[in-house]
Amino acid sequence: MIKAAITGIGAWAPEDIITNEDIAKLVDTSDEWIMSRVGIKERRVLKGEGRGTSVMGIKAVEELLSKTGTKPEEIEVVIFATTTPDYAFPSTASIVAEGVGIKNAFCFDLQGACSGFIFALETGSNFIRSGSYKKVIVLGGDKMTAITDYEDRTTCALFGDTAGAVLLEPTTEDLGIKDAILHTDGVGIPHLHMKGGGSAYPASKETVEKKMHYVYQEGQAVFKHAVSKMADVSAEIMERNHLTNEDVAWFVPHQANLRIIDAAAKRMGLSSDKVMINIQKYGNSSAGTIPTCLHEWESKLKKGDNIILAAFGAGFTWGSIYLKWGYDPK
Ligand code: UT7
């Protein structure tokens, strides 16, 4: 049976940093509150007029193509998971493809909020498993600072900007994406959304004045669901695949809150040295968090390592993926 293996990764984060001290100059908060409640020290911000999420996606894919020795014309599908597309249309995937010279692929965006990367990874894997495609790029990335209200202390410390990209290729070895448990439940719609800018409330003077173009989040309600759902689904995928905590080499959780990550790792019985955590440096970059972690840890990942990815986000959306890493460090 054909499986989809990750055969390379690229990622990019902008250099500009917003520290907790910077945030504390804008709203009534402190480094102590943000570190103890969320675990974020600083986050990246993509600056410059007209620079959208595609800027980060292009850098990630350039690195990916160069590291894997892949020519742009070999790529057949590009899927970009993002909540902060450059434009309503065309897709950010098509802007990335144009930016790196991909001309023989069909390209589209996928909206799964903070679970976008794992939704896109399962989608991309199925193109490979179908036997019809041999080189698929899956990106996850967000410019969350573009939809963050820096006058709202309940959300402005949380978010940052990053993007990452993986290459999926077919393999007949026991590698690649092995299992996925993915969910959506509209019970979350009132608790986490952006009110304006879509077709329900197109941008107008009024939507801008009412601050409808920013993340709206009822933190506690989201937190409660995130803790239980992300832990449940991560434990479930281990059980379903008969994996013990010894078998799991790495847990790669979405980086929204250190307390949510710790709860999931505890439920899985994993020691902290097996959990990828970089929330302190990047905050929550939505669909960008998981590929950004995999990229940072790439030199430690060995061919065949059992890796569990897990995410939770708006919708609500959530889920986990079990994969075997596709290659040894170069
Ligand atoms: O990635 C997609 C999914 N999103 C998530 O997973 C996020 C889930 N939610 C969370 O991570 C947490 O709910 C937050 C980090 C957003 C908030 O943490 P919390 O422990 O749930 O705080 P809270 O909302 O219950 O607020 C506790 C107190 C409140 O004051 P009172 O009412 O107790 O006096 C808030 O007004 O903390 C106050 N507060 C702050 N204080 C200082 C809220 N934000 C801040 C702040 N600085 N930035």
Side-chain angles (χ1 to χ4, degrees), residues 204-212:
S204 67
K205 189 163 171 278
E206 199 185 350
T207 62
V208 172
E209 280 168 2
K210 287 185 171 165
K211 297 187 152 214
M212 289 167 70

Side-chain angles (χ1 to χ4, degrees), residues 244-260:
T244 66
N245 54 1
E246 297 282 304
D247 299 325
V248 174
W250 296 101
F251 177 46
V252 193
H254 169 52
Q255 314 275 310
N257 188 315
L258 193 53
R259 292 182 290 149
I260 299 173

Side-chain angles (χ1 to χ4, degrees), residues 193-249:
H193 57 259
M194 190 166 92
K195 296 178 193 300
S199 56
Y201 296 98
S204 67
K205 189 163 171 278
E206 199 185 350
T207 62
V208 172
E209 280 168 2
K210 287 185 171 165
K211 297 187 152 214
M212 289 167 70
H213 298 276
Y214 295 123
V215 174
Y216 171 82
Q217 175 169 257
E218 293 162 6
Q220 271 186 22
V222 179
F223 184 85
K224 226 168 58 192
H225 282 88
V227 163
S228 69
K229 298 296 186 194
M230 213 168 92
D232 284 351
V233 81
S234 307
E236 185 187 350
I237 207 159
M238 282 174 70
E239 282 159 28
R240 177 155 121 169
N241 291 279
H242 313 291
L243 295 169
T244 66
N245 54 1
E246 297 282 304
D247 299 325
V248 174

Side-chain angles (χ1 to χ4, degrees), residues 41-59:
K41 195 82 194 156
E42 57 188 43
R43 63 292 286 147
R44 300 299 177 91
V45 55
L46 180 63
K47 289 187 176 169
E49 200 183 326
R51 279 158 57 88
T53 300
S54 70
V55 169
M56 301 184 289
I58 287 169
K59 300 256 193 202

